[in-house]
Amino acid sequence: ETPFQTPPFTEITQEHFLPAFEEGIKQQNTEFAAIVNNPEQPTFENTIAAIEKSGQLLAKVNKVFSSLNGTDTDDEMQKIAEKSTSMLSKHIDDFYLNEKLFQRIKTLYDEKETLNLTTEQSRVLENYYIDFVRGGANLSGEGKEKLRKINDELSQLVLKFGDNVRKENNKFELIVDREEDLAGLPDASVQAAKEKAEAKELTGKWLFTIDKPTLIPFLQFSANRALREKMYRAYMNRGNNNDELDNKKTLSRIIVLRTEKANLLGYKTYSDFVLQKKMAKTPDNVYSFLNEIWQPTVQKAKSEVVEMQKIIDAEGGNFNLEPWDWWYYAEKVKKEKFALDEEMLRPYFQLENVVSGAFAVATKLWGLQFVERKD
C-alpha cells in the first residue's frame, strides 16, 4: 500500500525477519514440490517458467533484509544474518541437489533443439542446466553431502569476513582537538566531523572515520601528513591487526574451502570454476586482459610520481612520496597543470551568461509558439 510499492520500513522490525525467511522458504519449497510432482511431461512453461515465478516472498524478504543489513546494521542484525545465511545456504543446496527437479531440466536440455524455443528461452534453459551441474547435481551422494558442508561453512565465513570489516570501520575514530590540524580540509568535511563529535558529546573537537565519504576528502585535502598516514593505514589494515577482528585465518579457510569445492566439481582452481560463465573463460586470459591495461598504467603512474615528487621537493618536504600522500599531491598537480588565470576566463564566463540568457528566452518563445499552434 506504499507509494511506488516500496517496503514499509517503518512497520518492519527485527523480530519479523526470521519468521519471514522461514515462510518464504516454505512457500518456495511448496512451489518446487508442485513442479517436481507434476505428472505432465516437462515443458518450458511447467518447469523453467514455473521456477522463475517461484519464491516471490523469499526474494522480497531477502532484498529488504539485505538492504537494511548493508546500510543500517548492528549486532542483532548480524545474528539474524548468521541464522538466515545458513537457512538460505541449505535452501539453495536443496534446490540444486534436487534430483527429480534436475531430471526435468535435463530432459528439456537434451531435447531443446526440438522444442521450438525462442532465443531467450533457449538461453535461460541452458543457464539453468549449467547452474545445476555447477551446483553439484551430477555428484554422488557422498559428494553432495560434502558440497553441502562446504557451502554452509563458506557462507558463514564470507559473512564473518564482511562483519569484521564493518566492525573495523566502526571501531576507528580520529579525534582532532586542534583547529590547525584541519588545514586544507573542505568546509563540508570539517562541519561533518564537528557534528559527529558533538553527537558523541566531544565538544570543541572533530571526529573523522574511515568511511569513504570521510576518508577520501581527508586524503585529498588534509595538509597534516601524519594524520593522512594514520587514516590511510587504518583503512588499509582493516582485518589485519592480529585481534578479534583479524581476517587472515578467515581468508585462508575461505581459500581452502573454495579450492575443495572447485576440485569436487571437476575444476583445477576456484578461478577456473568462477570464470566458466565469464567472458575471459580462463585465468590466463584474465591476466592477459589485465596486463594490457596494467603495463601502460604503471608507466603513466611512474611519470605522475615524478611530478608529485617535484612539488614535495619544491615545498621543502624532506621525504619521498608514500601511498598516503598520493591523493593530496595529485590534487596539487591538477591545480598546477590545469588552473587558469581567472581574469583570462572572465570574458568566457560573460559570454556564457549571454548565451544562457538568449537560450532561455528562445526556449520560452518557442514554448509560446508551440502553445499557439496547438490551440
Side-chain angles (χ1 to χ4, degrees):
E1 303 298 326
T2 56
F4 309 109
Q5 298 180 342
T6 56
F9 288 108
T10 55
E11 298 177 29
I12 299 171
T13 58
Q14 291 180 347
E15 59 265 25
H16 292 146
F17 282 114
L18 286 177
F21 273 117
E22 290 170 357
E23 180 61 25
I25 289 172
K26 178 183 175 183
Q27 286 188 17
Q28 191 169 36
N29 281 336
T30 300
E31 291 164 336
F32 288 157
I35 297 169
V36 168
N37 296 323
N38 189 334
E40 298 177 7
Q41 279 293 107
T43 65
F44 186 89
E45 284 300 321
N46 70 21
T47 302
I48 303 300
I51 293 173
E52 285 282 296
K53 295 173 184 176
S54 72
Q56 293 187 25
L57 174 62
L58 182 59
K60 188 184 296 185
V61 174
N62 198 30
K63 285 178 181 177
V64 172
F65 179 76
S66 297
S67 297
L68 289 175
N69 195 40
T71 57
D72 191 27
T73 191
D74 55 28
D75 290 342
E76 187 58 35
M77 287 288 279
Q78 284 303 303
K79 291 178 183 177
I80 297 170
E82 289 175 13
K83 293 179 181 177
S84 62
T85 295
S86 283
M87 291 163 59
L88 290 172
S89 177
K90 180 181 182 303
H91 182 59
I92 292 169
D93 282 338
D94 286 345
F95 173 66
Y96 285 119
L97 300 178
N98 187 317
E99 293 183 14
K100 292 182 179 179
L101 190 56
F102 177 57
Q103 284 306 314
R104 291 184 71 91
I105 294 171
K106 187 175 184 304
T107 297
L108 291 172
Y109 181 77
D110 290 342
E111 299 173 358
K112 65 178 181 177
E113 302 301 330
T114 66
L115 298 178
N116 295 321
L117 300 177
T118 65
T119 302
E120 293 80 9
Q121 288 174 330
S122 181
R123 182 62 174 157
V124 171
L125 172 58
E126 182 181 341
N127 279 339
Y128 266 108
Y129 178 78
I130 292 173
D131 287 345
F132 265 77
V133 173
R134 288 165 57 85
N138 281 330
L139 293 176
S140 65
E142 182 181 348
K144 289 178 180 178
E145 284 307 308
K146 185 175 181 180
L147 182 63
R148 283 180 181 274
K149 291 178 181 178
I150 291 173
N151 284 341
D152 183 53
E153 187 176 354
L154 268 176
S155 66
Q156 291 299 325
L157 288 170
V158 171
L159 182 68
K160 181 182 178 182
F161 177 91
D163 189 37
N164 283 348
V165 173
R166 175 187 69 86
K167 288 177 178 176
E168 286 272 37
N169 273 338
N170 295 337
K171 180 180 177 181
F172 178 84
E173 293 180 344
L174 174 65
I175 299 172
V176 174
D177 53 12
R178 300 190 311 168
E179 194 164 354
E180 55 264 37
D181 289 334
L182 303 172
L185 290 171
D187 291 341
S189 295
V190 173
Q191 181 61 31
K194 182 180 180 181
E195 291 173 2
K196 285 182 180 179
E198 289 175 349
K200 294 201 171 187
E201 300 181 353
L202 299 172
T203 307
K205 298 181 181 181
W206 297 265
L207 175 59
F208 295 91
T209 63
I210 51 175
D211 293 319
K212 282 293 181 70
T214 303
L215 176 72
I216 298 301
F218 198 98
L219 293 176
Q220 281 180 307
F221 301 110
S222 174
N224 190 314
R225 187 170 187 249
L227 294 185
R228 289 202 310 270
E229 179 180 358
K230 193 171 183 179
M231 290 280 281
Y232 178 86
R233 288 189 181 279
Y235 181 79
M236 295 302 292
N237 281 322
R238 293 172 303 164
N240 186 31
N241 294 304
N242 300 317
D243 56 12
E244 72 280 2
L245 300 178
D246 196 277
N247 266 331
K248 290 191 288 291
K249 288 184 178 178
T250 301
L251 274 172
S252 296
R253 183 60 180 161
I254 287 174
I255 291 169
V256 168
L257 289 173
R258 284 180 169 178
T259 303
E260 287 183 10
K261 177 175 179 175
N263 295 162
L264 183 63
L265 293 170
Y267 296 87
K268 182 179 178 181
T269 69
Y270 188 73
S271 296
D272 290 292
F273 170 72
V274 170
L275 291 168
Q276 183 196 20
K277 293 186 70 177
K278 307 294 183 182
M279 180 188 74
K281 298 299 181 186
T282 68
D284 287 342
N285 284 340
V286 171
Y287 285 112
S288 177
F289 293 150
L290 288 177
N291 283 331
E292 288 181 17
I293 303 170
W294 175 252
Q295 291 168 1
T297 300
V298 168
Q299 293 304 313
K300 180 62 179 174
K302 287 179 178 179
S303 67
E304 290 176 350
V305 168
V306 172
E307 290 182 308
M308 289 186 275
Q309 190 63 50
K310 284 181 180 178
I311 293 179
I312 293 172
D313 296 341
E315 292 178 349
N318 188 25
F319 59 86
N320 291 325
L321 184 80
E322 295 287 352
W324 47 89
D325 299 317
W326 191 285
W327 287 270
Y328 182 69
Y329 286 98
E331 285 295 316
K332 292 200 170 197
V333 169
K334 289 176 189 175
K335 288 179 181 178
E336 185 178 274
K337 291 181 71 173
F338 304 114
L340 296 171
D341 188 341
E342 188 175 334
E343 285 302 316
M344 184 178 71
L345 288 173
R346 191 176 301 281
Y348 295 98
F349 292 145
Q350 292 171 346
L351 178 61
E352 182 184 18
N353 290 335
V354 171
V355 172
S356 297
F359 180 76
V361 172
T363 302
K364 188 175 181 74
L365 289 173
W366 180 84
L368 290 172
Q369 185 184 38
F370 178 77
V371 172
E372 289 170 2
R373 287 182 177 181
K374 184 179 178 182
D375 289 345

